[in-house]
Each structure stands twice: as structure tokens, then as C-alpha cells.
Amino acid sequence: MAPCALTVDSLNPKVLALADHLGNAAIARRAQCIQNEIETKPGSHPFDEIIYCNLSNPQSMGQQPNTFFREVLALCDYPHLLERSETNSLFSSDAIAKARKILDLFPWRTTGGYSHCQGTEGLRDVIAAGITSRDGFHCNAEDIFLTDGSAPPIRMMMHLLIRNEKDGILCPIPSHSLYTSSVVLQGATLVPYYLDESRGWGVRMSDLKQQLDGARSKGVNVRGLLVINPGNPTGHVLVEANQREIVEFCRKESLVLLADEVEDESYTSYQAERNGILSTFSRCAEAMVCALNRLEGVTCCKAEGAMFVFPSVRLPKKAIASAEEQNTEPDVFYALRLLENTGIVVVPGSVFGRVKCIHVHVLIL
């Protein structure tokens, strides 16, 4: 009988190099087991539900999606609705008008088919015109690529920039594993720069320069700098002066700036709903940060632009010693104990990179 072709030893070593993130997977698996035990054996745990604060997905916690987006998507995906009289009473006039306008940009006025590899030409034209109007800087539609989320363009840029293990990318620490994993899987050198918690997780330019020079002195050809704004998992927003410093730094050092940023604006009805959602997030964030800062041994920076916070936890020496005895990272040990005793699921901070203090990633409820 032929040996199994797929074993741990036969896996891509670049994938195995990402084993540091398994602590989070272990917690998620344990949470699922406890969830099953609660359902099959009521009273088996000191709580009766699992609270998932480990994913930045507020809709899983009851947050309703934005109506305008869903209406436009529904009408674009099923355009026959636009020909029915009852649609005017079921959908807002703004959504109907936007759907008609979008469909006019698609060949054959339908979605779901293959498009140009950069995205539908008509949509790119509209986006380019919007950027030109907003920024006062001419934007060419041929320079725009439309993608489904942030992962595809990140992989695309990694393919373009990384040639071998001597090429490197500057990545913020802490940051989401999507970015650091992409660098590792491409076989490049990850060059970390550390966000300064004492300055609201801002970028300290002296540290950025030190990390760049240190990597270059080791023969690493640093080709790009990644910025995440608002930060993930920290939730911070870079002040304008810091952003300008980073742009100038990339120009001076001949680095490609990879910026993962989120912002939009739209119609009155959408704006009212959006403001309501953001207002709720803001109140929850303020309450969460205040509550965390009242806990002994816990400090937390203000959440400025995201639906999660990244508190620092000072564990007692005995807890750290217990974690070491179990050959477990202290933050993983803390997250597992928190889950077992309260049913609250958080993400160990080490998943987002090595930082001096122990952190956990918490979704704002």
C-alpha cells in the first residue's frame, strides 16, 4: 500500500512556519467543544453561553447589516425586480436609482459573469472620476484594480514585490496574521516595526528607520512598507502628521507603500443608519475601554476607528510559571482560562506578533 502523500512532514515548510498562530485555533476548537457540551449537558459549565469576542464580526452578535448596501446588491443580482411595480414599495428610491446606475455600467446589464481582470471598466471609470474630484489629482482608471476584500490585493502585491528570501516587507507589530502570513508564504523576510502603545499605537519614525537599516545591514532588500489604518487588532487611527511622515519616509527610502485603509460616504438614509451604527459602536467602545481599565492589571487604549480593542494584561508570576510548565504561551494560557471560567472567547495577542506585554484581542459587543 502506497504511503500517504499528505502528512505533516510533507507539508510546505512555509506553512509550517506559521505554527505560531495555532494558539488561536486551539482556543476556537475548545470553545466549540464547550458549546457542544453546554447544549448536550446543561449545567456542565459555570455559564450557559459562549460569548465570541474573538472575531471582528458584529453581525454574529446581532448587529444588523446596512440596509442600503443589501438592497442595492439584491437589485443588482436580481435585476428583474427593477421591472416589478411592488419593488417601489419594498426598496428605497435611493437603492433603486443606485442599482440602475450600476447595472448600466455592466455589459448586458447583469452581474455574476466574468469581468475584466482589473474589474468592470465602467466601475473603474466612476471610481477614477471620484478620486480625481475628491483629491484634485488626476486618476487613471487603468491604474485601478477592483478586488473582493483586502486579501487578494495583498497577495497580488506580494507576488509583484517578492522575488526571493532576500526581499523583505516592513510589517507593523501587532498586526493581523493575514499580512504577516502572506509575507512568510511568499518566502520573503518579514521585517517588523513595532507600534508604540504609549502613543496610542502610533508609528515611531525612529524605530521604523532603525528596523529598516537593521534589515538592510543583514542583506535584506526591503521593498515595501505595510500600514494598517485603522489598526488591526489595535483599533487605532494614525494622526495626519504621522501619515505624512510615513509617506515621506517611503518616498525617501524608495519603498512601495501598502496601505490597508477603510472609509465611504453616501446617501442621506444610508448616512443616518451608518451614523446610528457608529454611534452604538462608539458608546460600546467607550464602555468597554472604561470597564477594562478598571480591572486590576489591565490597561487599554481608546478604540478610535474599529470595532475591537487590544487591552494589555499583566499576569502574575505564578500564572506565567504555570503557562511555562504547560509549554504554553502566557497569553494563550490566559485566554484558555478565561474561556473555561467565563465562556468568553478572546484572541491571544501573540497571534498578531510578539510584543513586550501580554495582550488579548476583544470584539466590542
Side-chain angles (χ1 to χ4, degrees):
M1 189 173 181
C4 179
L6 183 61
T7 65
V8 172
D9 292 335
S10 67
L11 291 179
N12 184 340
K14 296 173 185 175
V15 174
L16 295 176
L18 301 177
D20 283 345
H21 303 305
L22 293 180
N24 184 37
I27 294 168
R29 285 195 299 269
R30 180 56 186 150
Q32 187 59 58
C33 288
I34 294 177
Q35 179 76 55
N36 295 335
E37 291 168 1
I38 290 175
E39 294 173 357
T40 58
K41 301 177 182 178
S44 58
H45 292 273
F47 44 84
D48 56 10
E49 67 173 329
I50 296 292
I51 301 176
Y52 291 94
C53 296
N54 57 322
L55 299 174
S56 304
N57 183 15
Q59 291 181 19
S60 67
M61 304 303 297
Q63 174 65 58
Q64 294 300 305
N66 188 278
T67 303
F68 178 75
F69 290 148
R70 293 302 175 95
E71 287 187 348
V72 173
L73 286 172
L75 293 169
C76 287
D77 285 342
Y78 191 52
H80 296 295
L81 290 173
L82 295 170
E83 310 306 323
R84 296 184 177 180
S85 58
E86 61 267 30
T87 297
N88 291 322
S89 61
L90 295 174
F91 294 82
S92 68
S93 58
D94 280 346
I96 293 173
K98 175 61 80 172
R100 291 186 185 278
K101 190 172 182 179
I102 291 175
L103 287 171
D104 285 340
L105 301 175
F106 281 82
W108 307 290
R109 299 191 78 253
T110 183
T111 62
Y114 290 115
S115 68
H116 189 283
C117 63
Q118 290 179 232
T120 301
E121 183 177 3
L123 290 176
R124 288 187 285 117
D125 289 336
V126 172
I127 292 171
I131 293 175
T132 300
S133 174
R134 183 193 65 187
D135 298 343
F137 182 85
H138 177 68
C139 179
N140 189 344
E142 292 302 312
D143 295 331
I144 293 176
F145 286 74
L146 304 182
T147 64
D148 55 335
S150 60
I154 289 173
R155 286 194 292 266
M156 184 187 301
M157 291 307 301
M158 296 302 176
H159 282 306
L160 291 173
L161 291 173
I162 297 170
R163 300 162 298 187
N164 53 52
E165 68 280 357
K166 287 295 184 180
D167 287 332
I169 303 293
L170 278 159
C171 292
I173 299 296
S175 68
H176 195 282
S177 58
L178 164 66
Y179 311 100
T180 53
S181 297
S182 294
V183 174
V184 174
L185 289 173
Q186 289 295 322
T189 298
L190 191 153
V191 183
Y193 67 91
Y194 297 91
L195 302 179
D196 188 351
E197 186 174 6
S198 66
R199 298 176 60 198
W201 297 108
V203 177
R204 191 185 292 274
M205 301 309 297
S206 58
D207 174 68
L208 194 57
K209 176 63 173 174
Q210 181 180 357
Q211 299 298 328
L212 174 63
D213 290 345
R216 285 175 171 171
S217 68
K218 297 176 183 177
V220 177
N221 183 16
V222 182
R223 308 203 67 200
L225 167 64
L226 173 66
V227 171
I228 309 172
N229 188 38
N232 187 353
T234 58
H236 74 285
V237 175
L238 292 174
V239 298
E240 183 177 344
N242 208 184
Q243 294 182 48
R244 291 182 178 276
E245 289 177 324
I246 293 170
V247 172
E248 176 59 23
F249 180 82
C250 288
R251 185 197 66 79
K252 183 178 179 180
E253 300 291 346
S254 299
L255 300 173
V256 176
L257 177 59
L258 308 174
D260 180 350
E261 298 184 301
V262 180
E263 61 180 1
D264 56 16
E265 55 185 272
S266 191
Y267 300 97
T268 304
S269 59
Y270 157 73
Q271 199 73 13
E273 191 173 36
R274 172 182 179 273
N275 289 341
I277 293 173
L278 292 180
S279 177
T280 300
F281 279 149
S282 180
R283 291 195 301 271
C284 290
E286 185 176 356
M288 175 71 77
V289 171
C290 288
L292 288 169
N293 281 322
R294 285 198 296 267
L295 296 176
E296 182 181 356
V298 178
T299 57
C300 184
C301 292
K302 178 182 178 181
E304 299 174 317
M307 60 194 75
F308 40 77
V309 290
F310 199 56
S312 173
V313 182
R314 294 187 295 277
L315 292 184
K317 293 181 178 179
K318 288 184 178 180
I320 296 176
S322 296
E324 293 174 348
E325 289 175 3
Q326 299 178 25
N327 196 28
T328 303
E329 290 287 345
D331 57 350
V332 176
F333 174 82
Y334 173 85
L336 284 170
R337 291 294 297 272
L338 182 67
L339 170 61
E340 297 285 355
N341 287 276
T342 68
I344 298 175
V345 186
V346 296
V347 181
S350 57
V351 169
F352 305 101
R354 302 297 176 188
V355 287
K356 293 181 180 179
C357 297
I358 295 170
H359 292 78
V360 291
H361 179 259
V362 181
L363 171 66
I364 296 171
L365 303 178

Short mmCIF file of all heavy atoms in Angstrom, two decimals, residues 263-293:
data_model
loop_
_atom_site.label_atom_id
_atom_site.label_comp_id
_atom_site.label_asym_id
_atom_site.label_seq_id
_atom_site.Cartn_x
_atom_site.Cartn_y
_atom_site.Cartn_z
N GLU A 263 -12.72 53.70 4.44
CA GLU A 263 -13.53 54.91 4.65
C GLU A 263 -14.65 54.91 3.62
O GLU A 263 -14.58 54.22 2.60
CB GLU A 263 -12.67 56.18 4.51
CG GLU A 263 -12.05 56.32 3.13
CD GLU A 263 -11.20 57.56 2.96
OE1 GLU A 263 -11.09 58.31 3.95
OE2 GLU A 263 -10.68 57.81 1.87
N ASP A 264 -16.06 55.52 3.55
CA ASP A 264 -17.07 55.71 2.50
C ASP A 264 -18.06 56.76 2.91
O ASP A 264 -18.08 57.24 4.03
CB ASP A 264 -17.81 54.41 2.19
CG ASP A 264 -18.43 53.83 3.40
OD1 ASP A 264 -18.57 54.51 4.42
OD2 ASP A 264 -18.75 52.63 3.33
N GLU A 265 -18.80 57.33 1.95
CA GLU A 265 -19.95 58.18 2.31
C GLU A 265 -21.01 57.99 1.24
O GLU A 265 -20.72 57.64 0.12
CB GLU A 265 -19.57 59.67 2.39
CG GLU A 265 -18.93 60.18 1.14
CD GLU A 265 -18.45 61.60 1.28
OE1 GLU A 265 -19.26 62.51 1.02
OE2 GLU A 265 -17.30 61.81 1.63
N SER A 266 -22.29 58.28 1.54
CA SER A 266 -23.33 58.03 0.56
C SER A 266 -24.58 58.84 0.85
O SER A 266 -24.51 59.97 1.30
CB SER A 266 -23.64 56.53 0.51
OG SER A 266 -24.46 56.25 -0.59
N TYR A 267 -25.73 58.24 0.66
CA TYR A 267 -27.00 58.95 0.69
C TYR A 267 -27.48 59.25 2.10
O TYR A 267 -26.98 58.71 3.09
CB TYR A 267 -28.05 58.12 -0.05
CG TYR A 267 -27.70 57.89 -1.49
CD1 TYR A 267 -27.08 56.69 -1.88
CD2 TYR A 267 -27.94 58.85 -2.45
CE1 TYR A 267 -26.74 56.46 -3.19
CE2 TYR A 267 -27.60 58.63 -3.77
CZ TYR A 267 -26.99 57.44 -4.14
OH TYR A 267 -26.66 57.23 -5.45
N THR A 268 -28.48 60.12 2.18
CA THR A 268 -28.98 60.57 3.47
C THR A 268 -29.48 59.42 4.34
O THR A 268 -29.15 59.32 5.52
CB THR A 268 -30.12 61.58 3.27
OG1 THR A 268 -29.65 62.66 2.47
CG2 THR A 268 -30.59 62.12 4.62
N SER A 269 -30.29 58.53 3.74
CA SER A 269 -30.83 57.42 4.52
C SER A 269 -29.72 56.49 4.98
O SER A 269 -29.72 56.01 6.12
CB SER A 269 -31.85 56.63 3.68
OG SER A 269 -31.25 56.14 2.51
N TYR A 270 -28.76 56.25 4.09
CA TYR A 270 -27.62 55.42 4.46
C TYR A 270 -26.82 56.09 5.56
O TYR A 270 -26.40 55.46 6.53
CB TYR A 270 -26.74 55.19 3.24
CG TYR A 270 -25.31 54.83 3.58
CD1 TYR A 270 -24.98 53.58 4.09
CD2 TYR A 270 -24.28 55.76 3.42
CE1 TYR A 270 -23.68 53.26 4.43
CE2 TYR A 270 -22.98 55.45 3.76
CZ TYR A 270 -22.69 54.19 4.26
OH TYR A 270 -21.40 53.89 4.59
N GLN A 271 -26.62 57.42 5.41
CA GLN A 271 -25.83 58.15 6.39
C GLN A 271 -26.46 58.09 7.77
O GLN A 271 -25.77 57.92 8.78
CB GLN A 271 -25.70 59.61 5.94
CG GLN A 271 -24.55 60.36 6.59
CD GLN A 271 -23.20 59.94 6.05
OE1 GLN A 271 -23.14 59.27 5.03
NE2 GLN A 271 -22.14 60.31 6.72
N ALA A 272 -27.79 58.20 7.83
CA ALA A 272 -28.47 58.16 9.12
C ALA A 272 -28.28 56.79 9.78
O ALA A 272 -28.01 56.69 10.98
CB ALA A 272 -29.96 58.47 8.93
N GLU A 273 -28.43 55.71 8.98
CA GLU A 273 -28.27 54.37 9.51
C GLU A 273 -26.82 54.12 9.92
O GLU A 273 -26.55 53.55 10.97
CB GLU A 273 -28.71 53.34 8.48
CG GLU A 273 -28.83 51.93 9.03
CD GLU A 273 -29.42 50.99 8.00
OE1 GLU A 273 -29.12 51.17 6.80
OE2 GLU A 273 -30.18 50.09 8.38
N ARG A 274 -25.92 54.58 9.08
CA ARG A 274 -24.50 54.41 9.38
C ARG A 274 -24.12 55.14 10.66
O ARG A 274 -23.41 54.60 11.51
CB ARG A 274 -23.69 54.97 8.20
CG ARG A 274 -22.18 55.04 8.43
CD ARG A 274 -21.50 55.66 7.21
NE ARG A 274 -20.07 55.79 7.39
CZ ARG A 274 -19.47 56.83 7.96
NH1 ARG A 274 -20.21 57.82 8.42
NH2 ARG A 274 -18.16 56.88 8.07
N ASN A 275 -24.60 56.38 10.80
CA ASN A 275 -24.28 57.15 12.00
C ASN A 275 -24.84 56.48 13.25
O ASN A 275 -24.22 56.51 14.32
CB ASN A 275 -24.83 58.57 11.88
CG ASN A 275 -24.06 59.41 10.87
OD1 ASN A 275 -22.94 59.08 10.51
ND2 ASN A 275 -24.66 60.48 10.40
N GLY A 276 -26.02 55.87 13.09
CA GLY A 276 -26.60 55.15 14.22
C GLY A 276 -25.74 53.97 14.64
O GLY A 276 -25.52 53.74 15.83
N ILE A 277 -25.25 53.22 13.65
CA ILE A 277 -24.39 52.07 13.93
C ILE A 277 -23.08 52.52 14.57
O ILE A 277 -22.64 51.96 15.58
CB ILE A 277 -24.11 51.28 12.63
CG1 ILE A 277 -25.40 50.63 12.12
CG2 ILE A 277 -23.04 50.21 12.87
CD1 ILE A 277 -25.25 49.98 10.76
N LEU A 278 -22.47 53.56 14.00
CA LEU A 278 -21.20 54.05 14.53
C LEU A 278 -21.37 54.64 15.93
O LEU A 278 -20.49 54.50 16.78
CB LEU A 278 -20.61 55.10 13.59
CG LEU A 278 -20.13 54.59 12.23
CD1 LEU A 278 -19.56 55.73 11.40
CD2 LEU A 278 -19.09 53.49 12.39
N SER A 279 -22.52 55.28 16.15
CA SER A 279 -22.78 55.82 17.48
C SER A 279 -22.88 54.70 18.51
O SER A 279 -22.36 54.82 19.63
CB SER A 279 -24.08 56.63 17.47
OG SER A 279 -24.40 57.12 18.75
N THR A 280 -23.54 53.61 18.12
CA THR A 280 -23.65 52.46 19.01
C THR A 280 -22.27 51.87 19.29
O THR A 280 -21.93 51.56 20.44
CB THR A 280 -24.55 51.38 18.39
OG1 THR A 280 -25.85 51.91 18.18
CG2 THR A 280 -24.65 50.16 19.30
N PHE A 281 -21.47 51.73 18.23
CA PHE A 281 -20.10 51.22 18.40
C PHE A 281 -19.30 52.13 19.33
O PHE A 281 -18.54 51.66 20.18
CB PHE A 281 -19.38 51.13 17.05
CG PHE A 281 -19.73 49.90 16.27
CD1 PHE A 281 -19.73 49.92 14.88
CD2 PHE A 281 -20.05 48.71 16.90
CE1 PHE A 281 -20.04 48.80 14.15
CE2 PHE A 281 -20.37 47.58 16.18
CZ PHE A 281 -20.36 47.62 14.80
N SER A 282 -19.46 53.45 19.15
CA SER A 282 -18.71 54.40 19.95
C SER A 282 -19.06 54.27 21.43
O SER A 282 -18.17 54.27 22.29
CB SER A 282 -19.00 55.83 19.46
OG SER A 282 -18.29 56.77 20.23
N ARG A 283 -20.36 54.16 21.72
CA ARG A 283 -20.78 54.01 23.12
C ARG A 283 -20.27 52.70 23.71
O ARG A 283 -19.79 52.66 24.85
CB ARG A 283 -22.31 54.07 23.22
CG ARG A 283 -22.91 55.44 22.92
CD ARG A 283 -24.36 55.50 23.38
NE ARG A 283 -25.17 54.49 22.74
CZ ARG A 283 -25.81 54.66 21.58
NH1 ARG A 283 -25.69 55.82 20.94
NH2 ARG A 283 -26.55 53.70 21.06
N CYS A 284 -20.37 51.63 22.92
CA CYS A 284 -19.88 50.33 23.39
C CYS A 284 -18.37 50.36 23.61
O CYS A 284 -17.87 49.80 24.59
CB CYS A 284 -20.25 49.23 22.39
SG CYS A 284 -22.00 48.83 22.31
N ALA A 285 -17.66 51.01 22.68
CA ALA A 285 -16.20 51.08 22.79
C ALA A 285 -15.79 51.84 24.04
O ALA A 285 -14.90 51.42 24.79
CB ALA A 285 -15.61 51.74 21.55
N GLU A 286 -16.46 52.96 24.29
CA GLU A 286 -16.13 53.76 25.47
C GLU A 286 -16.41 52.98 26.75
O GLU A 286 -15.60 52.98 27.69
CB GLU A 286 -16.95 55.05 25.47
CG GLU A 286 -16.59 56.01 26.60
CD GLU A 286 -17.33 57.33 26.51
OE1 GLU A 286 -18.06 57.54 25.53
OE2 GLU A 286 -17.18 58.14 27.45
N ALA A 287 -17.55 52.29 26.78
CA ALA A 287 -17.89 51.49 27.96
C ALA A 287 -16.91 50.34 28.15
O ALA A 287 -16.49 50.04 29.28
CB ALA A 287 -19.32 50.95 27.82
N MET A 288 -16.53 49.70 27.04
CA MET A 288 -15.60 48.57 27.11
C MET A 288 -14.23 49.02 27.62
O MET A 288 -13.64 48.39 28.51
CB MET A 288 -15.46 47.93 25.73
CG MET A 288 -14.44 46.81 25.66
SD MET A 288 -14.97 45.32 26.50
CE MET A 288 -16.12 44.67 25.29
N VAL A 289 -13.71 50.11 27.06
CA VAL A 289 -12.39 50.60 27.46
C VAL A 289 -12.40 51.02 28.93
O VAL A 289 -11.46 50.72 29.68
CB VAL A 289 -11.96 51.76 26.55
CG1 VAL A 289 -10.68 52.42 27.09
CG2 VAL A 289 -11.72 51.27 25.12
N CYS A 290 -13.44 51.72 29.35
CA CYS A 290 -13.55 52.14 30.76
C CYS A 290 -13.60 50.94 31.70
O CYS A 290 -12.93 50.91 32.74
CB CYS A 290 -14.79 53.01 30.96
SG CYS A 290 -14.66 54.66 30.23
N ALA A 291 -14.38 49.93 31.30
CA ALA A 291 -14.52 48.73 32.13
C ALA A 291 -13.19 47.98 32.23
O ALA A 291 -12.78 47.53 33.31
CB ALA A 291 -15.60 47.81 31.57
N LEU A 292 -12.48 47.86 31.10
CA LEU A 292 -11.20 47.15 31.11
C LEU A 292 -10.17 47.88 31.95
O LEU A 292 -9.40 47.26 32.69
CB LEU A 292 -10.70 46.98 29.67
CG LEU A 292 -11.45 45.97 28.81
CD1 LEU A 292 -11.03 46.09 27.35
CD2 LEU A 292 -11.20 44.55 29.31
N ASN A 293 -10.16 49.21 31.85
CA ASN A 293 -9.18 49.97 32.61
C ASN A 293 -9.46 49.96 34.11
O ASN A 293 -8.57 50.30 34.91
CB ASN A 293 -9.12 51.42 32.09
CG ASN A 293 -8.31 51.54 30.81
OD1 ASN A 293 -7.30 50.88 30.65
ND2 ASN A 293 -8.75 52.38 29.90
#
